[in-house]
Amino acid sequence: TDIVLAHGGVVDKYIGDAIMAFWGAPLPEPEHARQAALAALAMRRRCEQLQQKWLDEYGVKVVARAGINTGPAVSGNMGSKHKFNYTVMGDTVNLASRLEGANKPYGTTLMISESCLDGCREAVEVRELDLLAVKGKQQPVTVYEVLAEKGALEPSFAAVLERYSEGLRLYRAREFAAAREAFRGALALRPEDGPSQTYVDRCEYFLESPPPADWDGVWRMKEK
C-alpha cells in the first residue's frame, strides 16, 4: 500500500491476497503507465527482500505477481444508497486482472499490455511474451514481461534475451524444432527462465500436433 501511494496510485480494494490499484483518477495523471510499472517493480523488490525472513519464520516462499493494463475505464462512486465505493470498472480493468493471472503459465511475475508499454517504454526493460487471448476475450493482445527499470537489467541477461528473441521469431515462422533449440539455449544460460521453458513445451506440443495452415500465432488461454 505504501509503495502504491508513493508512486501516485490509488488503492482500490483488497481482494483476498490481491491488491487492486489504479492511476489516472480521480485526477488525471499523464504518467500513469510509467508510475504503475515502476510501482509494481518496487513491490516485487520489497517482496524479494522479505522472502528469506518469511521463509525462515513460516517455511513458505512468497512470490507476488502483477498485471497492468492501460485504457479507458469508468470511474466514480459505484453501488447504491446503502453502500458504495469509489472504484474503476470496464474491460480495461478486467484485462489487467487477467494479465496478473496469465503470469503463472509463463513463469513471470509482471505482465503488461501493449497499451501500457506505450506509456512506460522509456522507463522499463521488457521482452515480448506472446500474442495472447485471455479467457473470456476473443481479441488478442501483445503482452510483455517487465524485467527491470531502464538500464538496470543484468548484463548476463542480454545473451538469454538474444536466444529467446530468436526462438520467438522461429516459433512464429512455424519452425518449431529450431525454435525449441533456441529456447533451450536460453535455458542453458538461465535454467529458471520461465518463458523459455514455456516455449520449449509449446514447441514440443506443436511438433506432435501441428497448428492449422491458417494459424495466426495467437495463444488462447483456457483458464484465468
Side-chain angles (χ1 to χ4, degrees):
T1 297
D2 290 343
I3 291 172
V4 170
L5 296 176
H7 287 80
V10 176
V11 174
D12 185 297
K13 60 177 69 75
Y14 304 100
I15 312 167
D17 62 350
I19 298 174
M20 175 178 166
F22 58 84
W23 280 255
L27 299 177
E29 171 50 72
E31 297 291 324
H32 52 86
R34 177 180 179 275
Q35 292 290 77
L38 293 178
L41 283 172
M43 293 168 78
R44 183 170 71 184
R45 275 196 307 274
R46 184 61 180 143
C47 186
E48 290 170 349
Q49 290 167 1
L50 291 165
Q51 272 179 350
Q52 191 59 51
K53 176 177 181 293
W54 288 333
L55 186 61
D56 293 342
E57 292 182 3
Y58 307 111
V60 176
K61 182 179 180 180
V62 177
V63 177
R65 299 187 298 264
I68 309 175
N69 187 31
T70 300
V74 176
S75 65
N77 290 322
M78 311 291 183
S80 71
K81 66 180 181 180
H82 301 293
K83 180 177 176 61
F84 65 86
N85 68 295
Y86 188 90
T87 189
V88 291
M89 302 176 73
D91 281 346
T92 294
V93 181
N94 185 54
L95 180 56
S97 176
R98 293 288 192 269
L99 295 183
E100 181 275 319
N103 279 289
K104 191 172 183 179
Y106 292 91
T108 55
T109 57
L110 178 47
M111 186 182 297
I112 65 173
S113 64
E114 188 169 17
S115 60
C116 179
L117 179 62
D118 287 341
C120 70
R121 66 174 72 248
E122 301 302 321
V124 296
E125 302 282 358
V126 303
R127 68 166 147 184
E128 185 176 343
L129 283 176
D130 213 344
L131 187 57
L132 181 65
V134 298
K135 183 176 173 61
K137 302 289 182 183
Q138 291 299 314
Q139 189 68 26
V141 293
T142 305
V143 294
Y144 300 83
E145 178 189 12
V146 178
L147 300 166
E149 285 93 346
K150 184 67 77 174
L153 196 62
E154 299 173 21
S156 61
F157 205 79
V160 177
L161 291 181
E162 183 179 349
R163 288 163 175 76
Y164 171 86
S165 296
E166 177 64 6
L168 194 59
R169 183 190 68 79
L170 292 165
Y171 168 83
R172 288 179 173 161
R174 302 173 64 105
E175 298 180 34
F176 300 117
R180 180 180 59 183
E181 294 313 303
F183 290 124
R184 282 176 173 170
L187 285 170
L189 298 173
R190 191 180 180 90
E192 71 275 19
D193 192 53
S196 294
Q197 183 60 60
T198 296
Y199 274 107
V200 167
D201 296 341
R202 204 181 289 178
C203 287
E204 291 178 348
Y205 170 79
F206 280 137
L207 285 168
E208 290 290 328
S209 305
D214 62 349
W215 179 63
D216 55 8
V218 176
W219 187 256
R220 301 189 181 277
M221 293 194 69
K222 297 179 174 57
E223 58 184 25
K224 293 183 180 180

